[in-house]
Amino acid sequence: MARDYTYAEAAAKLRIAETTLRRWVSKGRVPCHRLGRKVRFTDEDLAAAYKPAPATARR
């Protein structure tokens, strides 16, 4: 059975700060599932956090 994680649980599992996880979600680096105002993560979502993000050009 798949488990859903909250921001705090997902951040602990990834060993990063919760604010970092929130920033990654807002930038689209980590996928998530929204249920109304609630945000949840699956194991597959958290595995995507370890995949390299596409580089963006800066000027």
Side-chain angles (χ1 to χ4, degrees):
M1 184 169 164
R3 177 150 192 263
D4 290 335
Y5 300 95
T6 63
Y7 268 114
E9 293 169 335
K13 186 168 174 96
L14 292 173
R15 302 178 113 194
I16 59 173
E18 189 175 333
T19 54
T20 301
L21 180 57
R22 289 180 186 275
R23 187 171 53 249
W24 287 359
V25 168
S26 70
K27 291 185 177 194
R29 181 174 172 186
V30 178
C32 65
H33 302 285
R34 298 184 188 272
L35 305 168
R37 295 180 69 192
K38 297 179 181 179
V39 177
R40 297 291 182 259
F41 303 90
T42 61
D43 288 318
E44 293 80 22
D45 296 336
L46 300 181
Y50 290 110
K51 294 181 183 173
T56 57
R58 290 188 179 185
R59 288 189 170 200

